[in-house]
Amino acid sequence: MASMLLNSLRNCPVCPAWAVQSAARSLSTTVQLQAQVQTKSKKTLARPNVKNIVLVEGVRTPFLLSGTTYSDLMPHDLARAALQGLLHRTAIPKDVVDYIIYGTVIQEVKTSNVAREAALGAGFSDKIPSHTVTMACISSNQAMTSAVGLIAAGQCDAVVAGGVEFMSDVPIRHSRKMRKTMLSLNKAKTLGQRLSLLGSIRLAHLSPELPAVAEFSTSETMGHSADRLAAAFGVSRVEQDEFALRSHSLAKKAQDAGLLQDVISFKVPGRDIVSQDNGIRPSSMEQMAKLKPAFIKPHGTVTAANSSFLTDGASAVLIMSEEKALAMGYKPKAYLRDFVYVSQDPKDQLLLGPTYGTPKVLERAGLTMSDIDVFEFHEAFAGQIMANLKAMDSDWFAQTYMGRKSKVGTPPMDKFNLWGGSLSLGHPFGATGCRLVTTVAHRLQKEGGQYGLVAACAAGGQGHAMVIEAYPK
Amino acid sequence: MAGVRALGALSRITSRRYTLTTGSPFRTFSVAPAMLAGTHVNYEVKGDVAVVRINDPNSKVNTLSIQMQKELTDVMNEVWSNNAVQSAVLISTKPGCFIAGADINMIEGCKTAEEVTQLSQEGQNIFEKIEKSPKPIVAAINGSCLGAGLEFVIACQYRIATKSKKTVLGTPEVMLGLLPGAGGTQRLPKMVGLPSAFDMMLTGRNIRADKAKKMGLVHQLVDTLGPGLKSPEERTIEYLEEIAIECARGIVNKKIPLSKEKGMMQKLQDYIMSFEMVRNQIYKTVHGKVMKQSKGLYPAPLKIIECVKAGIEQGPIPGYLAESQNFGQLAKTTESHALIGLYHGQVTCKKNRFGAPQKEVKTLAILGAGLMGAGIAQVTVDKGVHTILKDTTVSGLARGEQQVFKGFNDKTKKRNITSFERDSILSNLTGQLDYSGFEKADMVIEAVFEDINIKHKVLKEIEAVIPPHCIFASNTSALPIKEIAAASKRPDKVIGMHYFSPVDKMQLLEIITTEQTSKDTTASAVAVGLKQGKVIIVVGDGPGFYTTRCLAPMLAEAVRVLQEGVDPKKLDALTTGFGFPVGAATLADEVGLDVAAHVAEDLGKAFGSRFGGGNVEVLKTMVDMGFKGRKSGKGCYVYQPGLKVRDVNPDIEEILEKYKMTPNPAVSSDSDVQYRLVSRFVNEAVLCLQEGILSSPVEGDIGAVFGLGFPPCLGGPFRFVDAFGADKLVEKMRRYEEVYGNQFTPCQLLLDHANDSSKKFHK
């Protein structure tokens, strides 16, 4: 099935202008660093007067379907587990880290700065400041790039970035009217005032307010938008199911082969030790074909089987300046190079972040599609991935909507999400970004490539892409 | 009111902008290309489904013209005889339009009522065949599906519509003085129930797709798509087609049932409707409502009730017969001619005959955040134009900004726009007290107090800060523009833009040019007006321009009628009985008695005794006592917030008693009072054409109907003269002239028409 996809998507032309650019690029890099790079005779992306920033280590808790083993925890518990895992793996002294940044989407109101709560709980020095960022599904990407920024600016040398999402419990609020009454009740002075306020409560006030899974600006749920996007690019149900099956099969293979080294074991209080993702379930095309559309009924194509599921999980990475890492005796996994954030129309192009981000980041890095050895794209929906691949392969789209001369081309499928993706491994919104980056680093080491590309879409019509370079062996 | 509502709705069906698709290079057909290719209709067989595509290459909209009908019939016959075809999909490839209705020219081209009846019967026959089609037909609707278009789809077995904002369904025939003449009056009640069917056919309002689904008018909805590998419009139509084809197959395979299980409410409603007494009560109620709203001046609504009743009570044969015969009769009524004339006039007045302006207005500054200023801002901000609203006081500005906010917030509450759209629209509005940012303004519209000295002061202040290309427009209702322009350093950039209150509801914009106004300035003002969604007339300069000048003598006459002892309620009844949507006394209250007094005095000075009649002192005394009309709570009537019923202001009796005049019984019958009011209006309108204030009778008619509420069933003053007879009108005026003098002297142009009956304003 994967080969079927390959046949249809493989043609990926190289833009000559970029090739020239990439050849001309980084001639001035230091001799010492160039000497280190030997793989495939490609140049390094190191630049003069720009600090080399490295990924030292990346871990994550197992990603579990929400409502399973993690269901009684709180978000900071998961984040704490990831941080402890990172401490354990790296054996970094608890006071060496300069800063901690976490990404999350649905915030637990009790721990709105979840980074701080988790860091304290994980035993980090209380002298390390922490903050929490949010940018929908690219929240932990934002945490990582914020860390890169702090290091590049010379503010810090070692930063822990991560992400957490906990969908087993979400804040459900009283209705606005009820809240208003309750707040007024606080201020009421006499019994009479209190009684009259209590008397004003109507049955309708008691209906709760759930956190919206819909885009605020358009009131459209993401699944609905994904279905429309798939239809706009003419992605069929079969294509989507095939891609979902591919994701689950590859994830299963990677899990069985022990390739998912970033997963740490986690002793859940009151439960067993969890050491594996539990959402990987390769099915058959026949089984998947039986499902009814989940969002657009009756003719939609996005189903439960070809969408990412609600997931609990946390991730953490240790990012350092190369000098510091080497000084501390670490062997870095990869360089974090150029990155971009993009945004577009949140209604009709909600999930096209990778399409917009990829050419932009490649241009920045002076690379072309063919230079990339490892692709890790966030799989929100199979239909979203297929739509992005088609958009990247369309000159018309590039010219009409992106203001580019030609298409960027599609990633070859034999380099694309080979260890599964968000569809199968799970997608804890705030934590996925670190998983993508760590996976690229691990795949580059395993497969011997030099450049990796991460791309992801996010609510709000935003997107992110980052180029990662293998650390020389 | 029905008339005004009808016209309001009329605007929605007219003059949409459609872009023709530029081919479809990506389209790959799996099967043989069109087997039968006409210019308007072609069809292609996909598997066992015939896809019938319609697109009129010569027009922006699809209409069921003779050509279209012929080709459709041919194609459908082919579909029915093709054994490989099991079902059919009917779709339009024109973005934004399914079928916008029958071809009006086709109806107008008929000489007799019988010919029109014949047309109706042909339509009925085609749709009957569609309804009885052995192969299910799925109508795939994207864009406007109106009139005969709607009648077409309700004859089909299944309907799918896109959720596009452009997808609207409706039967607007009543607004043209017609009825749905191709089976609509017979099928619609069965499909959506008697009350909804009456509502649709009698109001002619457009129904959006989601509402249509709830009503049971369409079976399934399809989302619109964003950009993909083709333009969103093109791909949405393609997607709709794909789903419709699946649906057609599903119907043939019996996977999709055609008859829906009826809900409890539906069963209950059917049961209640099975009693003749209940139905009769509905007919009676609806009839009563129509009579109350239309005063019996519009025959079409009554005929619609008659046709529906015939179909339900006597069966289909008498029903369809009644429909076709009444359709024929209605098409030949003066009311229908008048309404169709207005429709054409409106289309004309939605075009910019001055060409494209050199520079598009991207920043518009408005001076004065009063009712008018804020209203102008409201119709501008949502068109993507940066709008500066300037006032002199914080409280005035706050009130104005709140008015704009409320306008859009109400739309949010009605779910026409989302709260997010509201917010982003309002981000185009800047409220301020100073002239900062005026250096970027492309146009300034002033809506400050109507005083020539204030206008001059403002003009000078503005010209000191605006860039050289910036246009200065004055929203004045009576001050001559050349007097305002006298203070300007660049009179070629000065123009009048007379909006009507409330600006967001009234469709008319009267643009006033002086001899010095440049053509580009006019083109730019018209372009802004069109963007604001206005129907535009461009008139010459002079006291009162066109609209105010026509209204003033009529109001003067109304005051005289009051002085002659006619009760304001009676005056209102007489005017509304003639077809005015708002009675003369109420209108004066709405306009504001202070404004009316001001205008009457000004124009009285300019035009002399011709504008006399009622004593201006009556109005002045009322204003002095604080009776300024609705805005002050008291005028001819007493207005209480929340109360719809209003009583005549008891205090004005005293005033009227003081200025009492003795009526002359020879010219004081109800009918005479009506014609006294109307003839002065009409005579002044004709005089405006004679003097060149108006450039055409069409603009005169549109201005009078859309700006002043001249009876829509009469089609405007000029069409009224044509239909009523200039000679008869002159005869009446001569009679009044004998009593009242030169106020009723017919103008030369009217006399010319009276002397030569072959002379008509409208050909």
Side-chain angles (χ1 to χ4, degrees), chain A residues 201-344:
Chain A
I201 297 172
R202 299 280 168 274
L203 201 61
H205 297 186
L206 296 173
S207 63
E209 213 176 88
L210 293 159
V213 269
E215 210 45 33
F216 180 74
S217 59
T218 61
S219 311
E220 187 183 23
T221 62
M222 196 177 271
H224 196 277
S225 192
D227 206 323
R228 287 197 306 116
L229 185 74
F233 282 93
V235 180
S236 70
R237 167 80 182 267
V238 173
E239 278 177 284
Q240 296 180 42
D241 284 356
E242 277 174 354
F243 185 83
L245 187 55
R246 170 189 190 270
S247 180
H248 278 277
S249 313
L250 291 175
K252 180 83 180 130
K253 243 166 81 182
Q255 193 179 48
D256 291 348
L259 295 172
L260 307 177
Q261 314 150 28
D262 54 339
V263 181
I264 51 153
S265 291
F266 175 25
K267 166 69 180 75
V268 181
R271 306 264 190 125
D272 290 336
I273 292 177
V274 183
S275 49
Q276 271 201 332
D277 304 326
N278 72 354
I280 307 172
R281 287 174 300 180
S283 173
S284 68
M285 288 299 287
E286 294 70 39
Q287 285 295 325
M288 291 170 89
K290 281 183 194 161
L291 286 178
K292 286 198 170 142
F295 301 99
I296 296 184
K297 292 158 189 171
H299 51 261
T301 52
V302 173
T303 68
N306 60 35
S307 315
S308 55
F309 47 88
L310 294 181
T311 314
D312 300 338
S315 54
V317 294
L318 176 60
I319 299 172
M320 290 176 126
S321 63
E322 187 182 20
E323 288 166 354
K324 176 86 172 178
L326 294 177
M328 287 187 70
Y330 285 117
K331 171 81 184 155
K333 287 181 187 285
Y335 291 109
L336 302 182
R337 297 297 192 192
D338 296 280
F339 62 85
V340 293
Y341 287 92
V342 291
S343 60
Q344 58 281 338

Side-chain angles (χ1 to χ4, degrees), chain A residues 65 225 424 462:
Chain A
L65 296 160
S225 192
S424 46
Q462 312 208 78

Side-chain angles (χ1 to χ4, degrees), chain B residues 616-632:
Chain B
V616 180
E617 291 305 315
V618 175
L619 290 173
K620 280 189 169 174
T621 316
M622 285 173 77
V623 175
D624 288 344
M625 291 177 76
F627 307 147
K628 291 182 184 172
R630 179 186 273 278
K631 57 189 170 191
S632 65

Side-chain angles (χ1 to χ4, degrees), chain B residues 556-557 559-560 563 609-616 661 680 743:
Chain B
E557 194 60 30
V559 173
R560 170 153 60 199
Q563 284 176 274
S609 58
R610 184 155 52 84
F611 273 54
N615 194 334
V616 180
M661 291 201 239
R680 287 189 69 178
Q743 292 139 16

